[in-house]
Amino acid sequence: MITVTETTATAVTLKRLSDEGVSIWLDDLSRRRISSGNLAELVATRHVVGVTTNPSIFQAAIGSGEGYEEQLGDLAERGVTVDEAVRMMTTADVRAAADILRPVHDATAGRDGRVSIEVDPRLAHNTGATVAEAKQLSWLVDRPNVMIKIPATKAGLPAITEVIGLGISVNVTLIFSLERYREVMDAYLAGLEKAKAAGIDLATIHSVASFFVSRVDSEIDKRLTKIGTDEALALKGRAALANARLAYEAYEEVFASARWTALAPAGANKQRPLWASTGVKDPSYKDTLYVDELVAPGTVNTMPEATLNATADHGDIHGDAVTGGYAQARADLAAVEGLGISYDEVVNQLEDEGVSKFEAAWEDLLDAVATSLSSKGVEGE
């Protein structure tokens, strides 16, 4: 638990980050984090104003079984299917977290205080099923501060438009490329236009676009290392920041366009860029790299707890680190391309891997829950 002394000493950096216009969200959730009071404490002392979840996070939390024994026993007694059991447990956690964050939601007019839950990752390439799942999750959680996560696959784009058009707030996830990011923003605006035509109050709809960071460096650095020249090695650790900065440039352009200005008077909210995958994978890099260097107004940074603690302890928040770096960002990505590393190939690979990793985590979660239900004398099939 965080002590008073630690809170006083470490809240300064996190407050500075928040004051720069960056919303700090926690990239983790578990029943124990809720029941122990840890999540409420992070909200109270560490400027945490939102929570994101994903299949891997739930697999780690529920797969451990800790804190879920009683609910698993009840679900086994009822003889529910494995899929239903998983949804009952994940939505219960999200509902409880949403209640903890509700005061933040109310104080920020819905901008923050958000808790995200993802559609079944096995539906990533099925538009209709994704829409149906999003509607079901919104109904199951039944909290105004929930966000439904939809992956930014080709099939996900029309689903984003449809779900936003129904007035449901969306966290678009697994964005790696600049082209796909622009398509995501277009899908969001199309959804707002549908919602407006349907008479829905646009002020009630919020969205973030989760642009993944560290995985870009992991893949491109691997290829740069293989090339091995001084020029190649000098570019390590630069591609992910360059990609994210150019994404912010695209965000500025889209939300200054005529299409946006036609929606803004109706109370529409900008779809904020959210920096995801901000835990550093390469131990030779500073562990707060993807926080310190991606400070920009109107953004969200969702951090695993280790990154949150590192930022509190030794983050270097020195103001806007994004908007002045567009020319250098373009030069860095061009230099990577100049060495024969295809940007399109990398980002397409990362999207495919991202969907596959979440599918695998979800399957592992289903297997773990099936085993638990079976051990209680119920097959769960």
Side-chain angles (χ1 to χ4, degrees):
M1 301 289 270
I2 303 166
T3 67
V4 174
T5 304
E6 286 175 324
T7 298
T8 303
T10 62
V12 174
T13 303
L14 296 174
K15 182 179 186 304
R16 187 178 303 132
L17 181 61
S18 180
D19 288 346
E20 290 291 343
V22 179
S23 291
I24 300 168
W25 290 8
L26 178 71
D27 193 27
D28 190 56
L29 187 64
S30 68
R31 186 71 51 88
R32 177 160 176 74
R33 191 181 287 282
I34 294 165
S35 62
S36 68
N38 172 263
L39 177 58
E41 188 174 27
L42 292 175
V43 172
T45 65
R46 295 270 173 134
H47 296 273
V48 169
V49 294
V51 170
T52 52
T53 67
N54 62 45
S56 298
I57 285 170
F58 279 129
Q59 190 275 329
I62 298 174
S64 73
E66 187 176 6
Y68 297 92
E69 298 87 352
E70 182 179 352
Q71 190 177 14
L72 276 165
D74 290 343
L75 292 166
E77 190 70 31
R78 290 173 51 214
V80 303
T81 66
V82 174
D83 280 89
E84 183 182 353
V86 167
R87 272 313 182 206
M88 290 301 99
M89 288 188 286
T90 57
T91 54
D93 282 357
V94 169
R95 190 160 45 248
D99 288 343
I100 293 169
L101 271 296
R102 181 63 183 271
V104 177
H105 169 271
D106 293 346
T108 60
R111 179 180 175 86
D112 285 312
R114 294 283 173 174
V115 184
S116 298
I117 183 168
E118 190 152 348
V119 297
D120 186 329
R122 296 171 297 180
L123 306 178
H125 302 296
N126 185 326
T127 301
T130 293
V131 173
E133 172 94 342
K135 291 161 65 177
Q136 175 77 354
L137 285 174
S138 179
W139 178 81
L140 275 173
V141 176
D142 192 27
R143 294 295 186 271
N145 50 330
V146 69
M147 270 188 172
I148 308 303
K149 290 181 82 172
I150 297 177
T153 57
K154 279 293 186 184
L157 294 171
I160 293 161
T161 295
E162 186 69 22
V163 173
I164 290 291
L166 294 170
I168 297 172
S169 294
V170 172
N171 176 341
V172 184
T173 188
L174 291 176
I175 307 172
F176 295 94
S177 79
L178 297 168
E179 179 182 5
R180 183 56 53 84
Y181 179 42
R182 287 185 179 273
E183 291 174 335
V184 164
M185 289 187 285
D186 180 74
Y188 174 62
L189 294 179
L192 288 180
E193 289 159 353
K194 288 189 69 166
K196 183 180 179 183
I200 296 171
D201 180 4
L202 300 191
T204 65
I205 304 172
H206 289 260
S207 184
V208 293
S210 296
F211 200 86
F212 279 55
V213 185
S214 66
R215 294 187 196 181
V216 173
D217 269 346
S218 295
E219 182 58 34
I220 289 182
D221 283 1
K222 181 171 65 178
R223 299 180 184 214
L224 291 168
T225 300
K226 187 174 182 180
I227 293 170
T229 62
D230 289 345
E231 181 186 6
L233 298 178
L235 288 168
K236 288 181 65 176
R238 301 184 67 87
L241 292 175
N243 201 37
R245 285 168 177 154
L246 294 178
Y248 192 82
E249 181 185 41
Y251 158 76
E252 289 184 309
E253 290 173 2
V254 169
F255 289 98
S257 67
R259 189 178 182 192
W260 166 250
T261 54
L263 290 164
N269 299 290
K270 293 179 180 178
Q271 181 187 57
R272 291 183 291 167
L274 178 150
W275 310 130
S277 183
T278 55
V280 170
K281 305 286 194 291
D282 188 330
S284 69
Y285 298 157
K286 186 183 177 185
D287 53 2
T288 61
L289 175 67
Y290 303 125
V291 179
D292 298 349
E293 298 301 327
L294 289 176
V295 176
T299 58
V300 179
N301 196 310
T302 186
M303 311 176 201
E305 189 170 16
T307 305
L308 176 69
N309 290 339
T311 301
D313 181 64
H314 53 263
D316 180 18
I317 309 305
H318 48 272
D320 184 345
V322 173
T323 59
Y326 301 148
Q328 185 61 55
R330 272 188 283 275
D332 287 344
L333 290 187
V336 169
E337 285 265 7
L339 292 173
I341 298 173
S342 168
Y343 174 86
D344 289 341
E345 180 186 316
V346 167
V347 293
N348 289 336
Q349 175 184 318
L350 289 172
E351 180 184 308
D352 291 343
E353 288 177 353
V355 172
S356 295
K357 285 177 182 176
F358 281 169
E359 285 178 345
W362 197 251
E363 293 289 355
D364 287 346
L365 173 57
L366 293 171
D367 289 345
V369 171
T371 300
S372 294
L373 293 174
S374 180
S375 72
K376 297 177 186 300
V378 178
E379 291 300 317
E381 298 293 344

